[in-house]
Structures are given as C-alpha cells and as structure tokens.
Amino acid sequence: MSAPIKPGDACPSLTLLMSDETSMRIPASNGRGIVLFFYPKDNTPGCTTESKAFSALLGDFQEKGYDVVGISRDSIASHRKFIEKQDLRIPLASDEDGSVCEAFGVWVEKKMYGKTFMGIERSTFLVDPEGIVTDVWRKVRVKGHAEAVLERLNA
C-alpha cells in the first residue's frame, strides 16, 4: 500500500479511464484544477448522494476553474448505467485494477459487521492547476461534503 497523499504533495501522474471510454491525464495540463473524489460503489445510497451533490454543484466548481471526477473500482459499463440512472453530470473514472486507489492511498483495510476486508476509503483530493494537492478529506461523511469542498475554493 502507498503512503496516503497529504496537502502539499504533488498529485500522482496517472491516466484515468473515463466512463465515455476516453482517457484523462492527471494532473491536468490545461491550467485547471481538479476535484478527485473516491467512492466505494456505484448505485449505493451514500455514493449516489455524493455523486448527485457534486453533479448539482458542477457549474460552481467549473466557474472556479476546477473539474470534478468521481473514481471507483467499478467497470466502465457500471459507471455508464450509474450516470444514466442517476442523471449525473460529472464524469466517472474506472480503476478496475486499483492502481489509482493505490497511488492515492485510499485502498485500505476496512471493518464492517465484524469482518475485515479491503475497500476504498471515501476520500476527496483537491488538486490545484499546478498539480499540487492542496486539500485532502478522508473518511468523508457524505452529507454536506460537496458543499464543504466548494466552500474551500471560495475561501
């Protein structure tokens, strides 16, 4: 497992496979920042709420010069269904092999109902236009989170 990324670190240089079957390089070289939010699973209650919240605020993030991408280990097909079913406006990236989760240190041991397993720790990374991680949210509570990330940009 990789060491968790913290504010001040350079964003790992990676290629994301997007839900529209294109690829996106991070950090971006287009002069824009990016909000990367990692979530456990498509079409689950918390992940749906979080994705809808970021979708609703997408225009506000874009006005601030930031793009938003959701990342999980679900397949491209799963992402497409999720986007269509929930009418999401944000793009989703598929990390089926777990390399992006590893690079950001969000693939962690979790415990639920007395069982231990590996999974994605719900986390968000704010990366400025220069490719530096400026803010990190770990063990995110969904309610109000997208708004808190936007508020950080407004501060």
Side-chain angles (χ1 to χ4, degrees):
M1 283 189 282
S2 298
I5 293 193
K6 58 190 181 313
D9 288 349
C11 177
S13 181
L14 299 164
T15 300
L16 303 177
L17 180 59
M18 305 305 293
S19 50
D20 62 1
E21 294 192 34
T22 62
S23 59
M24 172 190 278
R25 292 280 305 149
I26 58 168
S29 59
N30 61 1
R32 297 181 61 78
I34 192 164
V35 176
L36 299 170
F37 73 96
F38 290 82
Y39 65 96
K41 189 92 176 119
D42 289 345
N43 282 306
T44 57
C47 299
T48 297
T49 300
E50 184 177 27
S51 297
K52 283 184 164 188
F54 275 112
S55 285
L57 295 173
L58 181 60
D60 296 313
F61 282 105
Q62 289 174 332
E63 283 178 17
K64 296 286 182 190
Y66 281 76
D67 296 317
V68 178
V69 175
I71 304 171
S72 78
R73 292 192 63 176
D74 293 297
S75 69
I76 292 296
S78 176
H79 281 341
R80 281 196 199 129
K81 289 175 189 171
F82 186 37
I83 289 168
E84 186 175 318
K85 181 178 179 182
Q86 303 300 336
D87 196 28
L88 301 178
R89 297 178 50 220
I90 53 166
L92 301 177
S94 177
D95 183 31
E96 286 189 88
D97 70 0
S99 60
V100 178
C101 289
E102 282 288 337
F104 279 85
V106 300
W107 187 247
V108 299
E109 187 175 274
K110 299 170 91 173
K111 294 180 182 182
M112 186 184 302
Y113 306 120
K115 294 186 179 192
T116 301
F117 60 95
M118 295 300 289
I120 292 177
E121 176 182 61
R122 190 181 305 276
S123 304
T124 302
F125 299 83
L126 193 59
V127 181
D128 72 12
E130 287 77 43
I132 303 301
V133 176
T134 59
D135 292 279
V136 175
W137 291 263
R138 297 213 176 255
K139 297 184 181 178
V140 166
R141 297 228 181 256
V142 172
K143 188 174 181 178
H145 175 62
E147 294 81 358
V149 175
L150 182 60
E151 185 60 35
R152 189 66 57 93
L153 288 177
N154 289 329

